[in-house]
Amino acid sequence: MANAIMGTLVFEPTSAFKIKANTFYVDSKDTISQASQQATVPAGECIGTYSGQLRDVVTGQLLDTFTTDLSQSTRAHFCGEFPDFDDHLPNFPTAGRFGPVFQTVFFGPTAEAATTIPVELAGRGGLEAPSGLSGEYSVFRANISMEYTLENDATLSAVLASGEANNYYITDGFSGDPFLSGIGFNNFLIGFIRWTRDSFAEVRYASDSSAPLRYMLGVSYYAQDLEQSDLGVRKVLNFEDGENYGVFGSIDYDISDQLTLSLEGRWNKDTQTIGFNGPTEILPTETPTVSNEVQSFSKFMPRVILSYKPTESVNTYLSGSRSNIQGVSTNADNYGAAVPDSGIDSSVVGFFTPVQTLTAYEIGLKHEMNSSLFYSIAAYYFDWENQVFADLSPNFTPLNQPGDSKILGLDIEATWRPVDWWRLSANANYNDIELNNFGGAGSIANAILAPGLITGGVQIDAGGQRPRWNPEL
């Protein structure tokens, strides 16, 4: 169920000056869909071996090689193939609303714990706790833009925006599997509440767009406040603030009627502050909270585009760019507390991973064959440095660490519009992604691929492998 309201106001006091304001508000409630899939191959029936190499998750140093006989595994699993859901129906949670007979596992949070908002977040966004396994969401945004055309046909424009987004959801950590708890149909509740507020301002000056030499200059400011909490046996809070100041510009020059060179660049200063990260109540075995930790960087990010239009309906281009984003919290202190023998804490790996850098190249063709048929082809290569993946300890506590990946891909898109009221679009993408300096993570590595070999600070080396959630085609 969702409710939405929106509005737009346009004011043009003169033909050269235009003001536009718009706003919208949406709130919704839903029942979160979850599913778990039972293993399809019983323990001892998977014929094959897995060979790999262990690595130190902090230094990346390669350690011992190993080979695992999967037929000796004491765990049932998929044996290299995901099951066909038509043949192996998944499990779905059966629980609905919370009530006197709502069952949870004895070692997990209660319904009361999952529906009690921390006092630090009380009143944020006006959200109320869901009454069962479901979620509540709300979004508000207001924007005002202004554009003024000068006598030299240049334009001066500005944008002001502010918004707020909130969500509160409660799920079953067992995803409907009645046997994970070992005690039949019970639920392991996972609650999460998140509040974000952001503000944005930008001013830019753009020269006459019809001139062979065109340029644009601008400045921008963006700020975001984030407050969120995991809701369970104890409340774990995370408060973060971010600020970004930017100066940007571009120059476009028509070398000829068919050839155009574009130079773009942006300098920004990006600062993130972790105001608080940790449980509201410190237990003797837990790490003290992290507060007022700051990461900041200043970078210039360039992009170059060379485009060639042999005809009005064909455009070819070649582009190259370099961009940066912040690293993330390593979670090292929580990891070290969960795995004391690992020797890992923030003094070893730092509070944040390094700044991420993406170097991208793309070559493409766009062709409008006629009024009803359009297609585009693009080949790209990305080199992503300090990309963040999580190494999971045997008890699933993540350690966020940097690594590198290289991505080579091809994207094809086509649109056919036989009549004005009907459009058919198709898209296909092929990519080849290779990881470097990453560790394998998760229960499969711990229980199936290298049982007994994964310890704190040690994982399977994933160098040369494809990352999860990135299909080849």
Side-chain angles (χ1 to χ4, degrees):
M1 181 180 71
N3 301 298
I5 184 171
M6 60 192 70
T8 301
L9 175 66
V10 179
F11 177 53
E12 294 187 67
T14 70
S15 60
F17 186 40
K18 179 180 180 180
I19 301 175
K20 182 178 181 180
N22 59 74
T23 184
F24 67 87
Y25 173 78
V26 178
D27 72 71
S28 64
K29 300 180 181 180
D30 63 30
T31 300
I32 296 177
S33 176
Q34 310 167 93
S36 61
Q37 180 63 59
Q38 297 289 343
T40 56
V41 179
E45 295 188 13
C46 181
I47 306 302
T49 60
Y50 177 83
S51 296
Q53 188 165 23
L54 301 177
R55 67 184 286 274
D56 188 298
V57 299
V58 175
T59 66
Q61 178 183 358
L62 297 179
L63 305 174
D64 296 334
T65 59
F66 67 92
T67 297
T68 302
D69 183 353
L70 298 177
S71 68
Q72 301 302 309
S73 175
T74 59
R75 303 286 294 270
H77 49 95
F78 295 144
C79 197
E81 271 187 26
F82 288 109
D84 186 335
F85 280 6
D86 292 335
D87 298 329
H88 304 274
L89 295 178
N91 302 304
F92 291 94
T94 57
R97 293 180 176 274
F98 299 138
V101 297
F102 185 80
Q103 297 294 309
T104 60
V105 292
F106 66 90
F107 54 83
T110 63
E112 180 181 6
T115 56
T116 302
I117 300 175
V119 294
E120 294 87 348
L121 288 172
R124 293 297 197 193
L127 288 179
E128 298 180 355
S131 58
L133 299 179
S134 59
E136 299 196 9
Y137 314 85
S138 70
V139 178
F140 168 77
R141 180 156 293 276
N143 303 273
I144 182 169
S145 60
M146 296 163 281
E147 184 175 293
Y148 181 66
T149 303
L150 305 176
E151 293 183 358
N152 62 354
D153 289 330
T155 57
L156 182 65
S157 60
V159 177
L160 297 173
S162 182
E164 182 175 300
N166 313 277
N167 67 73
Y168 192 151
Y169 64 83
I170 301 176
T171 66
D172 174 18
F174 291 158
S175 298
D177 188 332
F179 305 107
L180 280 178
S181 68
I183 52 177
F185 285 91
N186 284 268
N187 300 273
F188 185 84
L189 297 184
I190 297 176
F192 184 77
I193 185 170
R194 178 186 179 103
W195 171 85
T196 58
R197 179 180 60 194
D198 67 274
S199 301
F200 175 75
E202 178 185 285
V203 178
R204 65 172 64 189
Y205 174 89
S207 66
D208 180 3
S209 61
S210 63
L213 178 63
R214 304 171 296 279
Y215 63 91
M216 180 271 295
L217 293 172
V219 294
S220 66
Y221 172 77
Y222 177 78
Q224 182 188 79
D225 296 328
L226 165 66
E227 298 182 5
Q228 59 189 3
S229 177
D230 294 330
L231 307 172
V233 177
R234 59 189 176 90
K235 313 297 182 184
V236 180
L237 300 173
N238 174 239
F239 295 166
E240 299 180 10
D241 298 323
E243 279 191 321
N244 184 290
Y245 298 88
V247 179
F248 56 92
S250 67
I251 298 176
D252 299 285
Y253 177 60
D254 294 331
I255 302 172
S256 68
D257 292 340
Q258 291 81 32
L259 191 62
T260 300
L261 176 65
S262 300
L263 305 176
E264 302 176 2
R266 176 184 176 86
W267 173 90
N268 67 231
K269 182 176 182 180
D270 198 316
T271 303
Q272 180 191 32
T273 302
I274 295 182
F276 187 90
N277 185 24
T280 57
E281 296 182 1
I282 303 297
L283 301 178
T285 58
E286 291 180 320
T287 304
T289 56
V290 174
S291 61
N292 297 323
E293 292 295 334
V294 180
Q295 64 170 334
S296 182
F297 75 88
S298 298
K299 295 284 187 180
F300 176 73
M301 295 175 283
R303 180 164 64 175
V304 179
I305 304 173
L306 183 65
S307 59
Y308 176 64
K309 296 185 65 175
T311 69
E312 285 298 319
S313 62
V314 176
N315 181 30
T316 61
Y317 65 91
L318 176 66
S319 70
S321 65
R322 178 180 288 263
S323 55
N324 304 94
I325 59 174
Q326 293 277 26
V328 304
S329 170
T330 60
N331 199 47
D333 290 326
N334 287 329
Y335 185 97
V339 192
D341 62 348
S342 68
I344 293 176
D345 58 32
S346 57
S347 66
V348 176
V349 299
F351 284 106
F352 301 99
T353 63
V355 174
Q356 302 180 61
T357 300
L358 178 66
T359 303
Y361 302 97
E362 183 173 331
I363 183 171
L365 166 69
K366 298 180 179 180
H367 185 195
E368 186 175 357
M369 298 184 65
N370 51 52
S371 60
S372 62
L373 184 59
F374 167 86
Y375 72 90
S376 65
I377 302 174
Y380 55 88
Y381 171 77
F382 298 157
D383 187 350
W384 193 346
E385 300 176 7
N386 296 325
Q387 182 182 5
V388 179
F389 270 59
D391 277 300
L392 294 181
S393 70
N395 64 3
F396 300 103
T397 302
L399 175 69
N400 296 319
Q401 284 289 275
D404 304 325
S405 67
K406 300 184 186 303
I407 306 170
L408 184 65
L410 179 68
D411 186 84
I412 301 175
E413 182 178 353
T415 299
W416 180 46
R417 188 175 58 188
V419 292
D420 291 341
W421 51 267
W422 186 36
R423 175 178 296 181
L424 180 64
S425 297
N427 177 269
N429 180 274
Y430 169 81
N431 61 72
D432 181 21
I433 308 177
E434 183 175 311
L435 295 176
N436 179 37
N437 194 29
F438 279 109
S443 57
I444 293 178
N446 295 333
I448 305 295
L449 301 181
L453 300 178
I454 304 298
T455 61
V458 175
Q459 271 288 357
I460 296 175
D461 177 55
Q465 302 299 315
R466 171 177 290 273
R468 55 186 175 179
W469 306 318
N470 287 273
E472 184 177 35
L473 184 65

